[in-house]
Amino acid sequence: VLVFRSMAAFVACRLRPWLAPSLRTMVRDHMPCVMVTMEETAQIRPYATQRHQKLILAAQKRNRQRKLEKPPEKDKLAWMKSRKLLIGPRRETYEDRLKEPPIDDVFFTDKYMPVVYPAADAIAMHRETHHPTVLDDPDALLYAFVELSLKTKKKTKFREDFSGTVLYNHPFSITKREKRIIALCKNTDMATEALAAGAEVAGGTTVIKRILAGELDTKLFDYILAHVDIVQDLPQLRGLLKTKLPTLANGKVTNNLPGLVQGYFKGVDFASKSDQQELDYGFVEVPVGKLSMPTEHLIDNIRTLLLCIDGFKPKTTDPGTFITKVELKCPPTAEKFIIACSEFLDHYAEEEEDVEVKVEQ
């Protein structure tokens, strides 16, 4: 006796011998019989077909190859560079460029090693592009792009981001907003001179009490400077001022308070930036003046900036290794000219000579 779920199942079982193999499988899957006779046994395959077996083996082979291609942790950065998976600014190594200088005076700059110009020549070339007959922007700001090596003695530790203020010997205006400064000193005459130099608030213990009471919000001020005669009263402000607390180490405590106020009033703030993938890479981009300024003044400002940045070098590293490259930029053009750091800092001369020897080899 045959028992079927439906008439359709009965018809399918009777017609299955005359159906194509693909249709047999479909009929068997969707219209199975509950009971069949000995003559009509159900065709069941508990294993993959030959075609499916080949697909499974190919997928397993691809997985094994993918695991073999996975880089170890120490070579992960190099692997990401080769696959161009890194995004953002990177230190250029120029490994794929020709080491010999070009024969002709017209050549592709991306094929040869970059030219290192004297600072005066780089400034002159920027002035040509910003001439009134070209871009008509002779007062454009000149920027120094400084690349840094954030390495320390420990391979797993790197220099953290830092910020500061550079006091140029030849100041210039960047924005119209005037900086707000608090000058702390006990001498009344010196407080008056600090106010004349540009400080908004000046005084001694009275000003400190106002800060502690909350009457004077220090968050609204850019800098807090102090004279050496009031250094003993400053520790009580440490909890409120935090990084703004004036100390001898950060250069905000001095004997010449009016001069310091005048310098910070026209000073330029800067902050370094690091990279999340290339942990030893950092850079600072700071304006050093205007193209209309004398070349000597611009060069002196560049020297002042590099001295200030080099002061943030990790204490455990060798001198002459913190700043790796200096470029001069002048928006809106994308041109950038490399200048030698040894032109301004003598202790970088030996490091640059070692690099040149390695390149020649």
Side-chain angles (χ1 to χ4, degrees):
V1 179
L2 298 177
V3 179
F4 298 95
R5 290 184 180 179
S6 62
M7 190 63 184
F10 172 74
V11 175
C13 289
R14 304 302 297 179
L15 295 178
R16 188 170 56 185
W18 294 277
L19 295 177
S22 59
L23 293 177
R24 291 181 191 176
T25 304
M26 182 178 68
V27 169
R28 183 178 66 251
D29 294 339
H30 297 281
M31 298 179 182
C33 298
V34 177
M35 294 182 61
V36 295
T37 61
M38 296 296 295
E39 298 177 356
E40 297 185 2
T41 56
Q43 187 178 4
I44 301 174
R45 293 177 180 173
Y47 56 89
T49 61
Q50 186 176 4
R51 177 172 174 271
H52 291 167
Q53 189 70 18
K54 291 181 179 179
L55 294 176
I56 293 172
L57 293 176
Q60 292 176 351
K61 184 178 180 180
R62 287 195 300 270
N63 290 336
R64 287 194 298 269
Q65 291 178 350
R66 191 180 297 111
K67 290 180 180 179
L68 293 175
E69 290 180 358
K70 186 178 180 181
E73 290 297 329
K74 61 180 181 180
D75 297 333
K76 186 175 182 180
L77 182 60
W79 178 78
M80 294 179 70
K81 286 182 178 179
S82 63
R83 297 298 180 90
K84 297 181 179 180
L85 299 177
L86 296 177
I87 302 174
R90 295 292 178 273
R91 183 182 292 108
E92 299 181 18
T93 57
Y94 310 112
E95 295 178 353
D96 56 341
R97 299 195 181 188
L98 299 175
K99 304 300 184 291
E100 297 80 9
I103 301 175
D104 200 351
D105 57 351
V106 179
F107 57 92
F108 292 100
T109 56
D110 59 342
K111 301 297 182 182
Y112 294 89
M113 296 296 293
V115 181
V116 180
Y117 298 94
D121 294 348
I123 294 171
M125 287 186 286
H126 279 303
R127 283 174 176 165
E128 290 179 359
T129 57
H130 291 71
H131 193 268
T133 58
V134 186
L135 292 178
D136 193 16
D137 192 7
D139 291 332
L141 286 173
L142 181 67
Y143 288 83
F145 182 84
V146 184
E147 284 190 359
L148 307 172
S149 175
L150 305 181
K151 293 181 180 179
T152 60
K153 288 294 183 181
K154 293 184 178 180
K155 294 183 179 180
T156 58
K157 188 176 181 181
F158 303 92
R159 177 71 166 87
E160 297 179 353
D161 292 340
F162 58 88
S163 60
T165 304
V166 55
L167 309 180
Y168 291 124
N169 297 326
H170 309 282
F172 54 94
S173 60
I174 301 177
T175 60
K176 295 182 179 180
R177 188 185 75 86
E178 294 185 354
K179 297 180 179 179
R180 307 183 66 183
I181 300 175
I182 297 177
L184 300 176
C185 61
K186 293 183 178 180
N187 192 327
T188 307
D189 296 336
M190 187 170 295
T192 305
E193 294 178 4
L195 291 173
E200 186 172 337
V201 179
T205 55
T206 306
V207 177
I208 293 178
K209 290 180 180 179
R210 291 178 59 191
I211 295 174
L212 293 174
E215 298 177 3
L216 193 61
D217 190 0
T218 57
K219 295 180 180 179
L220 303 178
F221 291 84
D222 297 297
Y223 309 111
I224 300 176
L225 310 177
H227 192 265
V228 292
D229 61 358
I230 202 171
V231 171
Q232 296 180 353
D233 299 335
L234 296 179
Q236 55 185 325
L237 298 175
R238 187 181 302 276
L240 292 174
L241 301 184
K242 297 181 180 179
T243 57
K244 285 187 176 182
L245 181 70
T247 60
L248 291 171
N250 57 24
K252 295 181 180 179
V253 176
T254 181
N255 286 320
N256 184 14
L257 186 59
L260 189 64
V261 170
Q262 189 175 5
Y264 270 90
F265 191 74
K266 298 181 180 180
V268 178
D269 299 332
F270 65 88
S272 68
K273 295 182 181 179
S274 57
D275 192 82
Q276 296 181 354
Q277 282 83 25
E278 200 165 347
L279 301 179
D280 64 335
Y281 177 84
F283 68 93
V284 181
E285 189 169 352
V286 193
V288 295
K290 295 185 177 182
L291 290 178
S292 57
M293 296 172 59
T295 304
E296 296 78 11
H297 293 183
L298 292 174
I299 292 176
D300 186 66
N301 284 354
I302 295 173
R303 181 180 293 105
T304 303
L305 173 65
L306 296 181
L307 282 171
C308 182
I309 293 176
D310 194 56
F312 291 92
K313 179 187 74 68
K315 297 180 180 179
T316 57
T317 56
D318 299 329
T321 58
F322 187 49
I323 300 175
T324 57
K325 186 171 66 173
V326 183
E327 295 177 343
L328 292 183
K329 299 181 177 181
C330 193
T333 62
E335 282 187 311
K336 51 186 180 181
F337 303 107
I338 301 177
I339 60 176
C341 189
S342 59
E343 183 180 350
F344 308 95
L345 304 177
D346 296 335
H347 54 279
Y348 277 84
E350 297 180 359
E351 185 68 20
E352 291 179 357
E353 289 178 359
D354 294 341
V355 173
E356 291 179 359
V357 171
K358 291 180 181 179
V359 170
E360 291 177 359
Q361 292 177 352

